Amino acid sequence: MFTSVDDVAARLAETGYLASPAVATTVFLADRLGKPLLVEGPAGVGKTELAKAVAEVAGARLVRLQCYEGVDESRALYEWNHAKQLLRISAGRDETWDETRTDIFSEEFLLPRPLLTAIRGDDPKVLLIDETDKADVEVEGLLLEVLSDFQVTVPELGTVTATRRPFVVLTSNASRELSEALRRRCLFLHIGFPDEELERRIVRLKVPGLDEALARSVVRVVGALRAMDLRKLPSVAETIDWARTLLALGADSLDETVVRDSLGVLLKHQDDVLKATAKLDLDAL
Amino acid sequence: MTAPAGVAERLTTLVAALRAHGIRIGTGETVDAAQAVAALGLTDRETLREGLAATLLHGTAQRPVFDPVFDLYFPRGVGAPEQEAAGREDLRDRLASALAANDRAMMGRLAVEAVDGFGGYGSSPASDGWSSYQTLDRLRPQTLLARVRDNVRAQGGGSGFTDRLLEDEIRRRIEAFRGLVAAEARRRVAERRGRDEIARRAVAPSADRVDFLFAGKAQLAELRRAVQPLARKLATRLAARRRRAARGSIDLRRTLRGSLSTGGVPMKPVLRRRRPVRPELVLLCDVSGSVSGFSDFTMLLVQALHDQFSKVRVFAFVNRIDEVTGLLVHGRADPEGLGARIQAEATLTGWHGSSDYGMALGEFAERYGAAVGPRTTVFVLGDARTNMSDPNLAAVRQIAERARRVYWLNPEQTASWGTGDSAAPDYAELVEMHECRNARQLSDLVARLLPV
């Protein structure tokens, strides 16, 4: 899919995703080694966006499995369309049992869920397994099988093997420690907060109306906030929101009033707002 | 690749060094790493670093160990820098301009020069080496702060609102420079002493494996930052245990609802969820100087888990005991000051300042006996060093009889229990005592011992 690490960075940038060297390198390797990519990091740094960007670059279909507590095989893999099977049985009254049995367990009655969808078919796909840490441990076992061999066994139909391996991205917020076995099968990528220069480029790209000097100030203030000991550090998503807010307020430079009034966009806890207000001397007016 | 055999050997020794730091890496990952090297080539060091990190590591916490080890095995250069080291003032001048411009590459080169010029000590081959401490002590980068700040301001880079951020930013840059110097000194020493030994000894273990009793200030601060994520992790683990523990009668409504997808045949019975009886928790913490780092951390952790319990009460003692639950609730906003505030606001010491478990436990049984009931789990945190006074086993027995369970978490290693003035074996006969030396052990114990 990609020829070099720089190629990854350049092509992701075309879709509007500015990748750090770490991200570009790991995506390149995931593609080269054909291994799933496990992405961890704080909320709002672009973990899910990365999968979308890769899909766009590769011209692939994005298949998304959103994990939550209680997601199970029938939500993740496949399910038989029970109602339709019943209809089929009642429609064919005069059939022998053998005919009915083979018939109702055929493709027509299969409801493929994301994992099976990603494996079947010849078109390129990107499989995004979002918030893997929210799923129960049993689902991890299921993922192990699918991700190591890229095949799924449906007892009535036989084994479905991927003719073309999807590019797999798993994301996790680390609310639960994923099992060692799953981690072993994946390349690990931690997306942290970007460095100053990269974040400035991201802000300029996402909020084109913002002038260079203000973008620089915005990123510096966010950097200072991240160095504080806050409950929830502002993420890239918050930086962009803040930049948009400033644009909407028509601010052309930062001052005490503007920052104090819009601090709520960056910080989501009252404790944090108070602490930041004190540390940034916003009360000094 | 230029030298495949050499690279393979380099890679396996790197893996061995990482394993010595407790990072579990299998052969499969090592093979992946070799493939990554083949795919990426050896031209760009930072790309290689990211590639190896992606294939070898499994978690964010392992990165601080990986980076210095990588620097040792795939060093930036070999030997001393080519040109002769410049004078101290010249170096400081150039460092000041690099700091002002935030030029990382320049700072890296200056770190190399600085260690070469000012870090060497000793003259005989057996005792010489390179010291980052000595380098920084002679160079004193922290004294450049005012100069760099004025430089930046003079260039017009420091006007307006963001001016107030400048000093902190420069401080962080200086801190980064110190890190570069330390890495460079490690590299030079490794060339002399053998890479494997330095990788094992000079690279700090990850924060969750640092002994509470020997943790420095910075490490304790790092641990404190880890409290919230750790608490969240433990909470999900406790919730999972609670779910598994649910046994009960069939919930008819939810079973029928579930049977709709199988045409009304109830294939999977759903059990009624038992209403959780949330347990009560009592913490008795020794906050005397020797173990305060451990107690502070554990208190914060339990406080962060407080919504898992119907009631959490925390008592602190040195040789007298006092309740500090209220202080802890307010302490969430300012974890660093917690220890000092407890010392200032609670009555913890009587006639002398050294810890006395017998007195404190006796006082607890007497004054706060009502806090312990059949649903209460008690945790005692401390090293059980009673300074030769009476351990007061009767009081512990009394607490143990009343409570559902009593656990004692001891930050000393098992081997030193009972040495000197430690009454650990006596207490261990009455209540379950566990060794709890670092954050990793603590989180394992908390996940296992906390009642659900």
Side-chain angles (χ1 to χ4, degrees), chain A residues 136-200:
Chain A
D136 303 313
V137 183
E138 294 80 8
V139 178
E140 259 183 51
L142 183 72
L143 287 178
L144 285 182
E145 188 197 346
V146 175
L147 297 185
S148 54
D149 300 331
F150 289 97
Q151 64 177 34
V152 171
T153 307
V154 183
E156 294 85 356
L157 289 179
T159 303
V160 183
T161 311
T163 45
R164 183 174 183 148
R165 287 193 170 194
F167 185 99
V168 185
V169 179
L170 297 96
T171 75
S172 160
N173 277 327
S175 75
R176 174 173 71 82
E177 202 67 62
L178 295 177
S179 75
E180 197 69 5
L182 184 64
R183 288 174 178 275
R184 259 166 215 287
R185 280 170 179 72
C186 302
L187 293 182
F188 177 76
L189 170 65
H190 177 261
I191 305 189
F193 299 124
D195 62 21
E196 223 180 283
E197 200 252 320
L198 179 61
E199 188 159 28
R200 195 164 61 233

Side-chain angles (χ1 to χ4, degrees), chain A residues 66-235:
Chain A
Q66 180 73 42
C67 292
Y68 51 90
E69 207 175 311
V71 67
D72 58 359
E73 216 163 306
S74 60
R75 294 278 149 219
L77 206 50
Y78 69 91
E79 200 174 11
W80 289 107
N81 189 341
H82 199 87
K84 201 171 173 189
Q85 283 174 329
L86 285 180
L87 283 175
R88 170 71 189 74
I89 292 170
S90 45
R93 281 184 186 286
D94 305 329
E95 280 174 341
T96 65
W97 166 236
D98 278 341
E99 280 168 358
T100 316
R101 187 180 58 194
T102 47
D103 205 47
I104 61 170
F105 288 111
S106 61
E107 287 278 324
E108 192 190 342
F109 299 94
L110 189 71
L111 294 174
R113 300 295 185 202
L115 289 182
L116 188 60
T117 313
I119 284 180
R120 290 204 307 180
D122 291 328
D123 51 328
K125 289 187 198 72
V126 171
L127 171 62
L128 166 65
I129 304 177
D130 216 358
E131 306 197 4
T132 317
D133 51 330
K134 298 274 172 13
D136 303 313
V137 183
E138 294 80 8
V139 178
E140 259 183 51
L142 183 72
L143 287 178
L144 285 182
E145 188 197 346
V146 175
L147 297 185
S148 54
D149 300 331
F150 289 97
Q151 64 177 34
V152 171
T153 307
V154 183
E156 294 85 356
L157 289 179
T159 303
V160 183
T161 311
T163 45
R164 183 174 183 148
R165 287 193 170 194
F167 185 99
V168 185
V169 179
L170 297 96
T171 75
S172 160
N173 277 327
S175 75
R176 174 173 71 82
E177 202 67 62
L178 295 177
S179 75
E180 197 69 5
L182 184 64
R183 288 174 178 275
R184 259 166 215 287
R185 280 170 179 72
C186 302
L187 293 182
F188 177 76
L189 170 65
H190 177 261
I191 305 189
F193 299 124
D195 62 21
E196 223 180 283
E197 200 252 320
L198 179 61
E199 188 159 28
R200 195 164 61 233
R201 276 168 52 211
I202 295 175
V203 170
R204 295 272 287 152
L205 184 77
K206 298 286 174 189
V207 193
L210 206 68
D211 74 272
E212 179 69 36
L214 186 54
R216 188 180 295 268
S217 308
V218 162
V219 171
R220 280 177 67 189
V221 172
V222 172
L225 288 173
R226 283 186 194 142
M228 292 176 197
D229 189 15
L230 301 176
R231 282 172 72 186
K232 165 84 178 69
L233 296 178
S235 195

Side-chain angles (χ1 to χ4, degrees), chain B residues 1-10 34 36-44 48 74:
Chain B
M1 278 189 312
T2 47
V7 171
E9 197 255 323
R10 187 64 65 94
V37 174
L40 296 171
L42 293 167
T43 43
D44 185 347
L48 186 66
F74 293 88

Side-chain angles (χ1 to χ4, degrees), chain B residues 191-202:
Chain B
E191 283 184 350
R192 249 210 197 282
R193 293 280 156 73
R195 194 184 293 134
D196 297 338
E197 193 195 334
I198 299 304
R200 205 170 52 240
R201 282 208 333 225

